Every structure is written in structure tokens, then in C-alpha cells.
Amino acid sequence: MQRIFSALIVAAVILLTGCSMDESKSKVSSSADELHRIVDIPFSARSVRWEIFGTPEYHGGVPGPTDFITLVAELKHVDENWLERLPDEEGSEFIVPGAVRPWLDRSFQDILRKNQNTTLVLPSANNCRVLKARLKKTSAPVKGFACRDSDSALIYLTLSSAT
């Protein structure tokens, strides 16, 4: 009987240490179809990686209020004239702290790192333009920017903010 009890305790310890309460794991997607179901962004690209995250990001414990919900996407092998078809208008966008995602190309990480927790003024930023889109479910307008580097593009959209 004591052997069974000891085995159950060992099994419980193994199961509990193998489980993680950390919900902050990256939720990166490579589904262009899923991205199109969330936000209406006309683009032509062979591959896409994207992530939606809250700021401040939840890293366990009691969740606090979320000030921003942000979408960051990287498009690969983008249609050559895609960025040029966006309106060349003035605008600005606040870059949230922690916007630099580890899966982004270095050039896009540099743009976000250089401007995080500040406002990026457009179109003065190199190869970046204002991007306006709509959420699919609510038709609510969202704004941000798109930047191009070679045949790749960065999309940064603020989906909601407390301000």
C-alpha cells in the first residue's frame, strides 16, 4: 500500500513539474488565412509570420489591465509595389514597449527597437508608410504602419488602446 502511495506522489510531482502555468508563451502564427480573418489587409506574399500581443504582456501571476493590443506581422516575398500603393500621407504611431519580436528579421527588429516607447513619425521613417485597415468582425478601423526591406514587409497595427 505504501508503495502505491509513493508511486502516486512521484507521478504527481512529475506531472506538476512538467506543467507550466506560464501563459506568456509566444503565439506566433504563419497562417495568412487566419490573419485575413482577423484584419482586412490587402497584401500578396508567399509567407507570413504574425503575432497579436497585449501591453503590458502577461507573464504569470494576476493579470493586470492591458493598455494596448498590437499586431506585428512580417511578410516575405511581398508584391513589389505593395508598399507604394499605400497612401503617402503624414501620420504617427506609438510603438509599444516590447514590440520587438524575436522572430522578426533584424532590420525590422531595429526599427521597432529604435522607436519603442516613442512615436514613429511617418512618412519620414525610411521605407515606411501609414497603414489603415479594418477588423473583420467589427469593421472597426485600426491604424499603424508598414515598412519594406528588400522583398519583405513589416506590418504594425494597434488593434486597441486605452487612450
Side-chain angles (χ1 to χ4, degrees):
M1 180 72 168
Q2 188 169 352
R3 249 182 163 180
I4 294 173
F5 183 70
S6 296
L8 287 174
I9 289 178
V10 169
V13 169
I14 290 171
L15 285 173
L16 290 175
T17 57
C19 295
S20 171
M21 297 299 286
D22 184 12
E23 293 296 321
S24 66
K25 292 191 184 345
S26 177
K27 294 178 176 69
V28 180
S29 176
S30 59
S31 171
D33 291 339
E34 191 176 330
L35 179 59
H36 281 298
R37 283 192 292 271
I38 294 170
V39 65
D40 187 19
I41 306 171
F43 67 82
S44 173
R46 284 195 209 145
S47 67
V48 61
R49 279 187 295 183
W50 59 276
E51 182 177 3
I52 294 175
F53 59 94
T55 303
E57 289 191 70
Y58 176 67
H59 295 289
V62 178
T66 301
D67 296 328
F68 295 90
I69 307 251
T70 307
L71 167 85
V72 172
E74 181 178 271
L75 312 175
K76 294 283 193 180
H77 309 289
V78 180
D79 174 36
E80 203 170 296
N81 299 317
W82 179 72
L83 190 67
E84 289 73 28
R85 288 193 299 265
L86 295 177
D88 191 15
E89 60 187 55
E90 291 184 14
S92 62
E93 189 65 29
F94 178 73
I95 310 297
V96 297
V100 178
R101 308 323 277 177
W103 46 265
L104 284 170
D105 280 352
R106 184 178 216 53
S107 63
F108 296 142
Q109 285 182 351
D110 290 345
I111 291 169
L112 295 176
R113 186 175 292 110
K114 177 182 168 190
N115 296 288
Q116 74 180 343
N117 210 22
T118 63
T119 301
L120 178 67
V121 178
L122 301 159
S124 66
N126 291 346
N127 294 322
C128 296
R129 293 202 180 183
V130 171
L131 177 62
K132 295 178 182 174
R134 291 201 173 271
L135 295 175
K136 287 284 188 135
K137 285 186 179 179
T138 64
S139 293
V142 293
K143 71 178 192 79
F145 62 90
C147 301
R148 184 176 177 85
D149 182 30
S150 181
D151 70 340
S152 298
L154 167 70
I155 292 176
Y156 181 99
L157 288 172
T158 301
L159 302 182
S160 92
S161 71
T163 58

